[in-house]
Amino acid sequence: VIVCTRNGVALLPDCLGSLLSLDYPSVEVLVVDDGSTDGTSGLVREQFPWVRLVRTAPHGLSAARNAGAAAARGDVLAFLDDDCAADPHWLRWIVHAFETHGWAAAGGPNLPPPSDSRLQRILDALPGTAIHVLLDDRRAEHVPGCNLVVTRAAFAAAGGFDARFTTAGDDVDFCWRLLPARPAIGYEPGAGVWHRRRSPPSKVLRPQVG
């Protein structure tokens, strides 16, 4: 599991805490710190010593994801954003989908967690959130990078993420380059993550502009 972050001190405890509860026998977790200035690396070292920390200069999300893939030891690369929390059965369902259908990549739903904040509910309902686009019930045209799992072989064949995309769009571009693979990208409805849209609204709008 690869979690890329920049200045993620406020977000990482929930994200990494959810990975402690994964119902899966063997998981390597990497955090790629993309040039944080808020003490992110110190937080990971002190509170999550079981996590492998990779520190990079600030080159953007795509470059951080590529760095995580290069450092990971597994044959399956699972990308999770720092503002997400994984369902305990996330990887079980994803692996089931890979074993059943032989996908090159797969993802599942990204759901906003319940909130008592009216502003947060408005942000969660805005268009433009990270979401899958399906070709049918089980095949996807693309799945968002906040819940994207890909075999190492398919990742290498697609050439990884394009580092020109620094804030958004890299996951769509990556999935489009995966589509020639057969079978290509699957959708597993059981493999969900909780994905809270960031507040204030400027943090939601910035990647849309990007």
Side-chain angles (χ1 to χ4, degrees):
V1 179
I2 300 166
V3 180
C4 299
T5 188
R6 180 184 291 176
N7 296 332
V9 161
L11 299 170
L12 282 172
D14 285 345
C15 176
L16 298 180
S18 74
L19 299 179
L20 271 174
S21 301
L22 284 176
D23 175 28
Y24 201 74
S26 179
V27 181
E28 176 192 48
V29 177
L30 291 89
V31 166
V32 182
D33 181 357
D34 183 40
S36 294
T37 59
D38 67 345
T40 288
S41 290
L43 171 84
V44 173
R45 289 194 187 101
E46 293 169 12
Q47 297 188 23
F48 303 96
W50 47 273
V51 170
R52 287 184 60 204
L53 178 65
V54 178
R55 300 185 68 185
T56 67
H59 293 308
L61 180 57
S62 297
R65 285 173 169 162
N66 289 337
R73 301 186 181 108
D75 293 325
V76 177
L77 310 172
F79 293 94
L80 182 72
D81 279 4
D82 61 0
D83 56 358
C84 292
D87 179 84
H89 306 295
W90 175 49
L91 290 184
R92 286 280 188 188
W93 280 110
I94 284 287
V95 170
H96 172 74
F98 274 85
E99 291 177 343
T100 302
H101 303 285
W103 303 118
N110 307 288
L111 306 171
S115 175
D116 294 328
S117 165
R118 182 170 182 266
L119 173 60
Q120 188 64 54
R121 293 198 302 270
I122 291 171
L123 293 175
D124 290 340
L126 286 176
T129 188
I131 194 168
H132 51 274
V133 174
L134 300 184
L135 300 172
D136 56 34
D137 286 347
R138 299 312 295 262
R139 295 183 304 130
E141 188 254 6
H142 76 263
V143 294
C146 59
N147 183 359
L148 169 62
V149 185
V150 58
T151 66
R152 180 178 292 279
F155 184 88
F161 292 94
D162 188 332
R164 291 177 295 178
F165 296 93
T166 57
T167 59
D170 60 322
D171 45 6
V172 178
D173 169 76
F174 176 74
C175 287
W176 283 349
R177 285 185 280 113
L178 277 178
L179 285 177
R182 291 291 182 269
I185 306 167
Y187 177 71
E188 175 47 64
V193 302
W194 297 105
H195 189 188
R196 183 176 299 285
R197 302 194 77 174
R198 302 189 183 193
S199 185
S202 61
K203 289 189 176 181
V204 175
L205 296 175
R206 189 176 302 123
Q208 303 306 317
V209 174

